[in-house]
Amino acid sequence: MNDSRPFPKILIVDDIPENLFVLEQILKNLDAQIIRALSGNEALAHVLEHNFALIILDIQMPEMDGFEVAEILKSDEKSANIPIIFVTAIDRDNSNEHKGYDTGAVDFIFKPINKFILLSKVKVFLELHRIKSGLEQRVADRTRELQQSNDILVDQIEQNAAAAKEIEQGRAYLSKVIDTIPSCLITVDGAGGIIDMNIRARDLIEMPIEIATGAPISESFPFYPSLMGYIIEAIESEKTVEKRRIPTYIKGMLTINNFAVYPFRFNEILGAVIRVDDITEQTKKDERMIQSEKMLSMGGIAAGMAHEINNPLAGIIQSIQIIRNRFQKSLPANQEAAEACGLSLDTLAAYCEKRGIDRMIDAIHHSGNRAACIVEEILSFTRKNGGNKVLENLQKLLEQSVKLALNEYRIQNDSQGKSVILNKNYPKTLPPVPCRANRIQQVFLNIVKNCLQAMGEKKYEEKEERILSLSLTTTETDMARIEISDNGPGIPPAIQSKIFEPFFTTKSTGSGLGLSLSYFIITEDHCGELSVRSTENEGATFTIDLPIKSIDA
């Protein structure tokens, strides 16, 4: 029997005619009637006249944007269930996506429009519309047939069975669609008992889905201890509850999650749909980007300060050299000036030696040269390219840096019984890594000294040892990984994200530049990564990842 039902209707809304033309060209071969609107008001007028299977709605429009149109459609019972696909040229943003889904959107398409992605998604919703329309029509037909005659009862039962199978297929199809969503989705009743969940959620639990279904959500998801509170809050207020950037330990791993709980009422039954998004990697990327921006800003400031210091510093070094020359007996000009003043240079030299003036002059000159070296080092940090990278043995560089740091530590602390035990975990073979040796050694030295200082601040038990652990490995992403750990007091969570910031320090002395410069050297100069993880009273671990293959700075 031929299907005589009219083609489903698709409403496309955009204030730019050219964009509407592009959409019409993409959708023209579908078995659907395309209706266009150039504004939000025109779109609302069409909705009053037609029954649409789908609305493709541009977000950015004058007078009334896409979000406002969607909110109006959602508030009307007739149009509340029309699927909406938002079209936007704005980069993906969580807040905009949340706003879109809250206003009734089922999906987003980003400009420039990918023809195949758009067609795929539109076909899904047209198919769902056809299934829904077909089922409604069949139910109506069967009701009339039962009223007309009982003779076709057997046939009617068969048709009902076929319809049930079709419904099951539709449900299976929808389940597949939901399983493709990267979020963890869980449906619960008003008491928090699990009704259903998608595959992302099932991957997290440690029990069969048959056992989890009907059981309290706290039993299947004990690592989300606050979730039941969010569910109660959402159901009681009948409003969506959102919680962002919540740290959670799952199977021993720290993850950062966004939670959204959507309350619903179905046949007087209260419940909620929970969406959990794992944003751990995105959070790390955001933090690295922010830290890089801070370091680049610091580089500019440091370069300016170094240039400003260089001028008076050069004058100091030059002047102290001139003063030293003026004391030399071998220069005729000095002899003439001394005789004119009735002064013996030998007597002056003896006086200077006795009062330590020569040593003071040497100290000033040495300090000036040292300051000049520091200024030059700061300037080198701010340059994108500080010389060619050379293949280096990381184990050798690490050992040299640890030796320097331990020598200084032992001079200050061994007399107090604060010795340190080294634990080393080095592979038998580790490929050489392209790097700038002096800078990498400076990073190792800064981190090791930081670990040693931390251990010096902890009160250990009588037989407890101070342990510094060193590890070299390679990662699956062709990175050489260096881990430097201590068993000191650890780093409080409140300051873990700040320790790489310029000038940040918890000590009464020090500039707070050591770890920030280390971060700059690893991330900007060597295209690597530097991070820290810590548990209070258990110590801290600094992790450095360096590319094994050369990446030009």
Side-chain angles (χ1 to χ4, degrees):
M1 187 174 80
N2 294 329
D3 191 347
S4 60
R5 287 172 292 173
F7 284 156
K9 298 176 182 179
I10 301 175
L11 176 62
I12 57 176
V13 187
D14 199 304
D15 61 305
I16 301 176
E18 291 80 3
N19 291 344
L20 291 176
F21 176 78
V22 170
L23 286 173
E24 287 178 329
Q25 292 303 305
I26 293 174
L27 305 174
K28 65 181 181 181
N29 292 327
L30 296 175
D31 292 334
Q33 180 182 353
I34 311 301
I35 297 176
R36 56 157 58 192
L38 285 166
S39 68
N41 287 325
E42 186 178 353
L44 295 175
H46 283 311
V47 171
L48 293 175
E49 297 177 2
H50 302 279
N51 181 22
F52 290 103
L54 176 66
I55 298 176
I56 302 176
L57 179 59
D58 185 42
I59 290 179
Q60 291 182 299
M61 295 187 297
E63 298 181 359
M64 183 187 301
D65 64 24
F67 292 138
E68 293 173 313
V69 174
E71 287 177 350
I72 294 173
L73 293 174
K74 188 176 181 182
S75 66
D76 190 332
E77 183 179 353
K78 177 185 175 182
S79 57
N81 294 321
I82 301 176
I84 299 174
I85 297 179
F86 276 130
V87 179
T88 178
I90 302 174
D91 291 339
R92 184 180 293 272
D93 180 84
N94 282 341
S95 62
N96 279 336
E97 287 190 277
H98 290 167
K99 182 177 180 181
Y101 290 127
D102 286 344
T103 55
V106 294
D107 211 337
F108 277 77
I109 291 290
F110 295 87
K111 297 178 181 178
I113 295 174
N114 185 306
K115 173 183 177 180
F116 300 101
I117 292 176
L118 178 60
L119 280 174
S120 177
K121 294 184 177 185
V122 170
K123 287 177 180 178
V124 168
F125 291 108
L126 288 180
E127 182 64 22
L128 291 175
H129 178 77
R130 290 189 180 100
I131 292 173
K132 178 183 175 183
S133 300
L135 291 176
E136 291 174 349
Q137 185 62 42
R138 287 187 179 93
V139 170
D141 292 340
R142 287 166 191 152
T143 300
R144 286 194 300 270
E145 290 170 0
L146 286 171
Q147 292 174 349
Q148 292 173 358
S149 175
N150 290 328
D151 295 339
I152 58 173
L153 180 59
V154 174
D155 183 56
Q156 187 66 49
I157 292 173
E158 291 176 354
Q159 290 186 32
N160 286 341
K165 182 179 179 180
E166 209 170 323
I167 291 173
E168 185 60 32
Q169 290 175 343
R171 181 177 179 181
Y173 184 84
L174 284 173
S175 179
K176 287 290 184 183
V177 172
I178 293 173
D179 279 343
T180 63
I181 297 174
S183 303
C184 171
L185 298 178
I186 311 162
T187 308
V188 297
D189 57 30
I194 294 177
I195 298 173
D196 199 1
M197 64 181 78
N198 70 348
I199 191 169
R200 303 284 179 179
R202 292 196 292 272
D203 288 342
L204 293 178
I205 63 176
E206 298 181 348
M207 63 177 68
I209 184 64
E210 295 80 9
I211 297 176
T213 301
I217 193 170
S218 57
E219 294 182 5
S220 299
F221 298 89
F223 38 81
Y224 296 148
S226 301
L227 194 51
M228 192 60 209
Y230 304 156
I231 295 170
I232 294 172
E233 181 182 349
I235 292 177
E236 289 181 350
S237 66
E238 296 188 359
K239 294 181 180 179
T240 299
V241 172
E242 293 184 314
K243 304 293 180 180
R244 298 175 56 80
R245 294 181 177 270
I246 306 299
T248 305
Y249 281 93
I250 302 177
K251 299 177 182 178
M253 297 292 293
L254 175 64
T255 63
I256 308 298
N257 299 284
N258 285 346
F259 292 87
V261 182
Y262 307 96
F264 68 81
R265 184 187 296 271
F266 180 74
N267 290 338
E268 300 304 319
I269 298 175
L270 293 175
V273 176
I274 303 148
R275 190 182 80 215
V276 184
D277 294 309
D278 186 341
I279 59 166
T280 306
E281 289 304 316
Q282 184 60 46
T283 301
K284 290 179 179 178
K285 290 178 183 178
D286 293 344
E287 290 175 352
R288 286 196 292 268
M289 183 178 297
I290 292 171
Q291 185 65 26
S292 295
E293 290 176 354
K294 289 180 181 178
M295 289 308 304
L296 290 174
S297 299
M298 191 216 73
I301 295 172
M305 292 173 60
H307 282 298
E308 291 297 323
I309 293 171
N310 250 342
N311 293 329
L313 187 59
I316 292 171
I317 296 174
Q318 183 179 10
S319 297
I320 202 66
Q321 184 63 45
I322 293 172
I323 291 173
R324 177 184 287 169
N325 291 339
R326 295 292 167 84
F327 282 99
Q328 293 182 10
K329 294 184 293 182
S330 59
L331 296 178
N334 292 349
Q335 292 283 0
E336 292 175 5
E339 291 173 0
C341 296
L343 176 67
S344 168
L345 286 179
D346 289 334
T347 303
L348 179 60
Y351 171 81
C352 289
E353 182 177 358
K354 191 165 186 176
R355 296 296 293 162
I357 294 175
D358 290 340
R359 292 192 303 274
M360 295 178 188
I361 290 175
D362 289 341
I364 294 172
H365 192 259
H366 176 77
S367 297
N369 286 331
R370 175 61 183 150
C373 290
I374 293 172
V375 169
E376 177 56 31
E377 189 67 14
I378 291 175
L379 286 173
S380 71
F381 287 146
T382 65
R383 300 185 188 115
K384 184 69 174 175
N385 191 348
N388 294 328
K389 296 174 183 174
V390 178
L391 290 175
E392 298 284 355
N393 185 322
L394 286 182
Q395 180 176 333
K396 180 179 178 182
L397 297 181
L398 180 58
E399 288 284 335
Q400 291 172 347
S401 301
V402 171
K403 183 178 179 180
L404 289 173
L406 283 176
N407 285 340
E408 180 180 337
Y409 176 84
R410 285 165 180 158
I411 291 173
Q412 298 174 356
N413 297 283
D414 269 5
S415 61
Q416 305 172 25
K418 297 181 178 180
S419 60
V420 174
I421 294 176
L422 285 181
N423 278 346
K424 300 178 182 180
N425 180 22
Y426 299 152
K428 293 182 179 179
T429 58
L430 183 72
V433 174
C435 63
R436 299 181 176 97
N438 62 327
R439 295 191 179 183
I440 294 300
Q441 279 189 296
Q442 185 63 48
V443 172
F444 292 161
L445 186 62
N446 287 343
I447 293 175
V448 172
K449 289 174 69 175
N450 190 83
C451 292
L452 293 174
Q453 289 171 1
M455 288 191 289
E457 297 171 359
K458 180 178 177 180
K459 293 182 179 180
Y460 290 82
E461 300 295 332
E462 184 176 349
K463 295 184 179 180
E464 187 179 6
E465 302 285 356
R466 293 171 173 80
I467 301 174
L468 181 68
S469 300
L470 310 172
S471 172
L472 290 173
T473 57
T474 56
T475 70
E476 296 179 355
T477 55
D478 284 335
M479 303 284 274
R481 174 163 292 176
I482 308 97
E483 291 188 324
I484 303 173
S485 306
D486 64 69
N487 67 337
I491 304 171
I495 67 172
Q496 282 188 33
S497 62
K498 300 180 181 179
I499 64 171
F500 297 123
E501 292 184 1
F503 309 111
F504 177 81
T505 179
T506 59
K507 304 177 180 66
S508 57
T509 59
S511 64
L513 284 174
L515 290 179
S516 61
L517 286 176
S518 298
Y519 188 91
F520 185 84
I521 291 171
I522 296 299
T523 60
E524 295 296 325
D525 196 32
H526 288 79
C527 301
E529 296 181 8
L530 173 58
S531 61
V532 65
R533 63 181 187 274
S534 176
T535 301
E536 285 194 82
N537 298 319
E538 295 183 12
T541 298
F542 289 86
T543 301
I544 303 168
D545 287 342
L546 292 173
I548 294 176
K549 296 181 181 179
S550 180
I551 300 177
D552 293 332

